[in-house]
Amino acid sequence: MLPKLVAQKIEENQTAMLQTLQNLIAIPSVATRAPENGYPYGSNCADALDFMLQTAASFGLHTQNLAYHIGTADTDVTAAPYLGILAHLDVVPVMAENWHTPPFTAVLKEDCIFGRGAIDDKGPAVAALYAVKAIIDAGIPLKKPVRLLFGCNEENGSTDLEYYHAHDTMPPLVFTPDGSYPLISIEKGMMRITFHALLHDPIHTLQAGTAPNAVPAQAICTLSASEIPTNLPENCTVSITGETAQLIWNGKAAHASTPETGNNAITGLLQLLAEQPKFADCRALSALFPHGCTDGSGLGIACTDETSGALTCICSQMQIQDRELTGMIDIRYPLCTTKEAVFQTVQERLQDAGFACEIVIQNDPHAVSEESELVQTLLRVYEEETGETGKCLAIGGGTYVHDIPGGVAFGAEFPGWDYHMHGDDEFVPIAHLMKDVRMMAAAILEICG
């Protein structure tokens, strides 16, 4: 069990921890697609990393900045780190108009903290830092060093980890608070495919989707006022200026790994336009991506297995400009299939509909044995701290350890909760954040103490 003095220090540090998280959320660290202002992921991600490393250094940790790709904070540099806790400081973009609080101002209300990154992954990153601080404050020496890793590109390809692997060695044991409790040991394979074609439908422009790994909450298109469909659903709005109209289809954002919890604005708009005579391309796309379908049936790739679950598939982004249509597909596939089989089928279906496509990102499934020492230790910590049965989970999301052999996700989402991760009004209950600190402190002591 967690030593009484460590638990006491965690409680004493709560106010400071919440302030640290508020300061971190205030930095709008959405990673840029290309280097900006001399930083690989932009100045905001650089500011977030500087802030966390400065905070860690003030606690007595040994910090290193790897060219603003990723930073480390070690409890001891006289020996190689044994346990790594990997968190990320970059966040997905926001649609501020859909939030009830300013997304980059941490708002405390109803015993929760609202703000982008509260649960993914700034809250857990701060919890990991304060777990180490509580152990230091309690004066408990660690037999084996711990390394905290703060990355800046998890949401956009994890090139920060590529840089880390090229310049340093990952500790032999690694977990990330970038998933769910009790513990995630299996992650589906992931593939992102971009597709494009010259559009024949009378659409002037279209813009939808803010991230490749999120269900789009809104799709906005402009077209001739005479082409506006009749009997629009309640979630659609139209504004007409002269002979041009803007049509907005409002849906609900969700993470691409759980698309059934969202309402895809792209597929909703496609279905609406497909009913009009002149929109043959929209009809073809709507057949490939039926509204409300998230298992890839339209593309012919639906499959499932008992171990890792069902395939999920969404059209996450779409743009039309000067008659050129480009789109993004996010696919999470189970252990029973392969990336080669999935892409071949998708490519054939898209080509039949007149679209060319290319793979942007592909990752094989990640699986760790339930019998591994790290898994069993973390499950035991979970059971001791919560009183609930610990078990391994399989998910469609790609956590931060997806490409790290033996790595698992431990927290930070508790079962039965929707924290609006990647969605509007993202939040974390303060009580859950405190449990995260306890859980990670107990894990550190169990493994390294």
Side-chain angles (χ1 to χ4, degrees):
M1 297 296 291
L2 190 66
K4 183 177 180 180
L5 185 55
V6 174
Q8 177 184 323
K9 294 300 180 181
I10 291 173
E11 294 298 325
E12 291 176 357
N13 290 333
Q14 175 176 325
T15 300
M17 181 183 68
L18 295 180
Q19 186 60 61
T20 298
L21 180 54
Q22 287 180 282
N23 293 342
L24 186 59
I25 288 175
I27 303 171
S29 50
V30 177
T32 56
R33 295 286 180 177
E36 179 185 85
N37 299 328
Y39 301 110
Y41 311 118
S43 55
N44 286 327
C45 282
D47 288 344
L49 183 58
D50 278 339
F51 172 75
M52 283 298 278
L53 293 181
Q54 290 165 6
T55 305
S58 73
F59 297 164
L61 299 179
H62 307 270
T63 62
Q64 183 181 12
N65 185 335
L66 280 73
Y68 286 100
H69 288 80
I70 190 169
T72 62
D74 294 307
T75 59
D76 184 5
V77 291
T78 62
Y82 183 71
L83 172 66
I85 303 177
L86 175 64
H88 64 90
L89 307 179
D90 61 310
V91 296
V92 296
V94 302
M95 296 182 65
E97 62 271 22
N98 293 341
W99 284 62
H100 293 89
T101 61
F104 294 112
T105 299
V107 175
L108 276 66
K109 66 174 184 176
E110 300 171 355
D111 297 321
C112 297
I113 296 181
F114 288 80
R116 176 60 89 217
I119 190 68
D120 183 32
D121 196 32
K122 291 181 176 181
V126 170
L129 179 58
Y130 275 82
V132 172
K133 176 174 171 55
I135 295 170
I136 294 173
D137 291 349
I140 298 178
L142 297 175
K143 296 179 181 178
K144 298 177 181 179
V146 176
R147 169 169 287 182
L148 302 179
L149 299 103
F150 304 118
C152 296
N153 191 234
E154 191 275 341
E155 299 290 4
N156 199 24
S158 294
T159 58
D160 51 352
L161 289 186
E162 293 177 13
Y163 189 92
Y164 178 88
H165 288 304
H167 294 82
D168 209 331
T169 301
M170 195 64 71
L173 300 182
V174 179
F175 74 82
T176 180
D178 183 39
S180 303
Y181 292 118
L183 181 143
I184 296 169
S185 61
I186 295 177
E187 301 174 18
K188 296 175 187 175
M190 182 182 71
M191 181 177 294
R192 289 182 192 155
I193 300 171
T194 183
F195 62 94
H196 52 90
L198 191 65
L199 189 74
H200 300 94
D201 294 357
I203 299 175
H204 301 165
T205 65
L206 186 148
Q207 186 67 45
T210 58
N213 59 346
V215 174
Q218 191 174 76
I220 305 174
C221 73
T222 58
L223 61 167
S224 298
S226 60
E227 302 293 347
I228 292 294
T230 57
N231 300 321
L232 292 175
E234 292 183 357
N235 61 318
C236 286
T237 60
V238 174
S239 58
I240 299 176
T241 304
E243 297 181 354
T244 302
Q246 182 184 72
L247 174 61
I248 301 177
W249 207 99
N250 294 296
K252 178 184 177 184
H255 194 277
S257 63
T258 55
E260 68 281 355
T261 64
N263 187 2
N264 194 315
I266 290 176
T267 59
L269 179 62
L270 289 174
Q271 182 185 61
L272 180 65
L273 295 178
E275 299 172 357
Q276 308 306 305
K278 298 180 182 179
F279 291 80
D281 290 328
C282 286
R283 276 193 295 278
L285 286 170
S286 188
L288 295 173
F289 306 103
H291 186 54
C293 174
T294 59
D295 67 356
S297 297
L299 290 168
I301 55 176
C303 59
T304 185
D305 63 50
E306 292 185 2
T307 303
S308 53
L311 180 146
T312 62
C313 172
I314 64 167
C315 182
S316 58
Q317 293 177 302
M318 187 172 290
Q319 181 178 7
I320 297 172
Q321 190 71 40
D322 297 328
R323 296 185 63 203
E324 182 72 24
L325 181 148
T326 59
M328 179 71 72
I329 309 169
D330 184 293
I331 300 169
R332 313 297 171 102
Y333 62 92
L335 299 174
C336 63
T337 188
T338 65
K339 57 181 179 290
E340 292 83 7
V342 170
F343 180 67
Q344 180 178 346
T345 304
V346 171
Q347 186 178 43
E348 291 173 354
R349 292 293 179 95
L350 285 170
Q351 286 178 344
D352 289 344
F355 295 89
C357 67
E358 296 86 30
I359 295 174
V360 179
I361 293 175
Q362 58 180 6
N363 299 107
D364 292 322
H366 176 76
V368 178
S369 170
E370 294 187 15
E371 303 305 317
S372 87
E373 182 179 351
L374 177 62
V375 169
Q376 290 300 310
T377 299
L378 294 177
L379 288 178
R380 184 167 62 252
V381 167
Y382 176 82
E383 291 181 345
E384 290 176 350
E385 286 297 318
T386 66
E388 303 291 335
T389 301
K391 62 179 180 179
C392 291
L393 306 175
I395 66 163
T399 76
Y400 214 7
V401 294
H402 189 91
D403 295 317
I404 299 176
V408 296
F410 185 56
E413 293 188 287
F414 283 90
W417 280 79
D418 177 8
Y419 301 85
H420 298 184
M421 183 178 70
H422 284 207
D424 307 324
D425 298 332
E426 179 182 346
F427 74 99
V428 62
I430 294 173
H432 290 197
L433 196 64
M434 297 300 289
K435 287 181 181 179
D436 290 335
V437 184
R438 288 181 57 95
M439 209 90 70
M440 283 189 269
I444 290 169
L445 292 171
E446 186 74 14
I447 295 169
C448 299

